[in-house]
């Protein structure tokens, strides 16, 4: 089933309990059984800072294999997204975070880093922003970017000297860095074309600004999710941009996932 948490304070939302007949319903079981860490109290305080609508959205998405979080601009979608990603990390899941543009990926990643900067997730290089070099995020959260530089440099070395023993070691280390990361953030396009990203399985995929992503990109990204995928966005904002007027172009490149799921109006979402 598809859940559509609404983040608008004026919205009348009703959150249903997880469907016990769904074989995915256990993915959001209580985190009370997970091993407590020194980071839990910090995460709990950030979760407590959310408003009730954001908390409901996060809790609903934790219990669904497919969920959509919708809200107009300014209703706190990014805050909810960040806490959802963090809750999945806390539950021991590997997360792939994507969006249609680098700017959007950075905004979402910054919201996550702000909440985890003093935790082991950040200190132990568990957060990876692919292709962050030269961006503001790199200056503000250098550990995320340093891992990125390490991967980039070793990957370049591997391509230039494929037969060298040192290169083979670097290539192995590159793989280890990706394996060590518990959250990897990248654009939709790179997520579907980067071979290194595609080698790893992800428990959860979170897509920000989902209304702007083309359906082929979304479907290609969705196949990485073992347990759950959450789409965050606003169907009132711009749809995907695709050139051409042919029926196939309109169907696949100019329609959003909200159109595909028949949730492209406020009435249909309620």
């Amino acid at each position: 089933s598809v859940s559509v948490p609404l983040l608008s304070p004026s919205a009348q939302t009703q959150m249903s309990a997880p469907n016990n007949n769904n074989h995915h319903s256990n993915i959001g079981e209580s985190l009370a059984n997970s091993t407590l860490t020194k980071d839990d109290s910090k995460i709990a305080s950030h979760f407590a800072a959310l408003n009730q609508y954001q908390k409901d959205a996060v809790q609903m998405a934790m219990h669904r294999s497919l969920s959509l979080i919708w809200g107009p601009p300014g209703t706190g979608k990014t805050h909810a997204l960040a806490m959802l990603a963090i809750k999945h990390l806390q539950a021991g899941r590997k997360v792939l975070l994507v969006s249609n543009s680098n700017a959007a990926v950075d905004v979402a990643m910054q919201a996550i880093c702000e909440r985890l900067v003093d935790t082991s997730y950040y200190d132990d290089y568990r957060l990876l922003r692919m292709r962050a070099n030269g961006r503001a995020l790199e200056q503000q959260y250098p550990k995320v970017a340093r891992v990125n530089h390490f991967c980039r440099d070793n990957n370049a070395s591997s391509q230039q000297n494929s037969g060298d023993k040192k290169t083979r070691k670097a290539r192995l280390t590159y793989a280890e860095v990706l394996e060590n990361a518990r959250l990897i953030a990248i654009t939709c396009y790179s997520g579907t074309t980067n071979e290194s990203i595609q080698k790893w399985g992800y428990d959860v995929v979170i897509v920000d600004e989902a209304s702007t992503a083309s359906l082929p990109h979304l479907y290609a990204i969705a196949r990485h999710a073992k347990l759950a995928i959450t789409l965050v966005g606003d169907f009132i904002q711009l749809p995907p941009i695709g050139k051409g007027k042919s029926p196939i172009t309109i169907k696949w490149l100019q329609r959003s996932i909200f159109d595909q799921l028949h949730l492209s109006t406020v009435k249909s979402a309620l």
Side-chain angles (χ1 to χ4, degrees):
S1 60
V2 180
S3 61
V4 189
L6 305 180
L7 298 186
S8 173
S10 61
Q12 296 297 317
T13 61
Q14 182 176 1
M15 299 299 178
S16 60
N19 181 2
N20 291 328
N21 295 323
N22 188 326
H23 71 281
H24 289 296
S25 62
N26 290 329
I27 66 169
E29 63 186 21
S30 174
L31 300 181
N33 295 326
S34 62
T35 302
L36 293 178
T37 71
K38 63 179 182 179
D39 304 324
D40 287 339
S41 59
K42 186 177 183 67
I43 292 174
S45 67
H46 285 302
F47 182 76
L50 299 179
N51 64 41
Q52 191 58 50
Y53 298 95
Q54 293 166 331
K55 291 176 182 177
D56 288 344
V58 171
Q59 291 171 345
M60 175 65 75
M62 288 290 291
H63 288 83
R64 298 287 185 179
S65 58
L66 171 62
S67 57
L68 284 75
I69 297 179
W70 167 74
T75 52
K77 294 188 296 296
T78 301
H79 296 304
L81 177 155
M83 280 310 308
L84 176 61
I86 291 169
K87 283 289 190 179
H88 280 306
L89 292 176
Q90 190 180 33
R93 299 169 190 141
K94 191 171 180 113
V95 178
L96 179 63
L97 170 65
V98 301
S99 191
N100 203 42
S101 68
N102 276 302
V105 175
D106 285 349
V107 169
M109 193 64 172
Q110 180 173 357
I112 293 170
C113 289
E114 286 175 352
R115 292 162 173 80
L116 294 182
V117 67
D118 294 324
T119 69
S120 61
Y121 297 102
Y122 180 79
D123 293 338
D124 294 342
Y125 297 95
R126 295 305 182 102
L127 309 177
L128 174 59
R129 168 62 168 106
M130 298 293 287
R131 304 180 184 276
N133 48 300
R135 307 189 67 80
L137 186 71
E138 174 185 21
Q139 299 177 357
Q140 195 167 4
Y141 300 103
K143 282 196 173 183
V144 174
R146 282 176 190 162
V147 177
N148 182 77
H149 290 164
F150 184 73
C151 294
R152 180 198 62 195
D153 295 341
N154 282 341
N155 190 41
S157 175
S158 298
Q159 294 176 352
Q160 294 173 5
N161 305 291
S162 58
D164 190 284
K165 289 184 178 180
K166 182 178 180 181
T167 299
R168 286 197 295 272
K169 182 178 179 181
R171 197 183 289 136
L172 176 63
T173 306
Y174 176 42
E176 289 175 341
V177 169
L178 290 178
E179 183 178 13
N180 178 69
R182 302 307 299 165
L183 183 147
I184 297 178
I186 197 168
T187 62
C188 288
Y189 176 79
S190 296
T192 58
T193 59
N194 188 306
E195 293 182 3
S196 299
I197 292 295
Q198 297 182 47
K199 288 180 181 178
W200 300 102
Y202 302 90
D203 300 304
V204 178
V205 171
I206 300 175
V207 183
D208 192 20
E209 295 194 355
S211 66
T212 65
S214 70
L215 292 177
H217 278 152
L218 274 182
Y219 292 151
I221 286 292
R223 66 188 174 88
H224 292 304
K226 295 178 181 179
L227 296 178
I229 179 168
T230 296
L231 309 174
V232 183
D234 180 8
F235 47 73
I236 298 177
Q237 294 183 356
L238 291 176
I241 299 175
K243 294 182 179 180
K245 298 182 179 179
S246 67
I248 194 169
T249 298
I250 295 173
K251 178 179 180 180
W252 291 105
L253 300 181
Q254 297 178 8
R255 295 170 66 247
S256 75
I257 189 64
F258 292 101
D259 296 320
Q260 183 73 2
L261 295 175
H262 306 291
L263 294 171
S264 56
T265 66
V266 174
K267 183 178 180 179
S268 63
L270 292 175

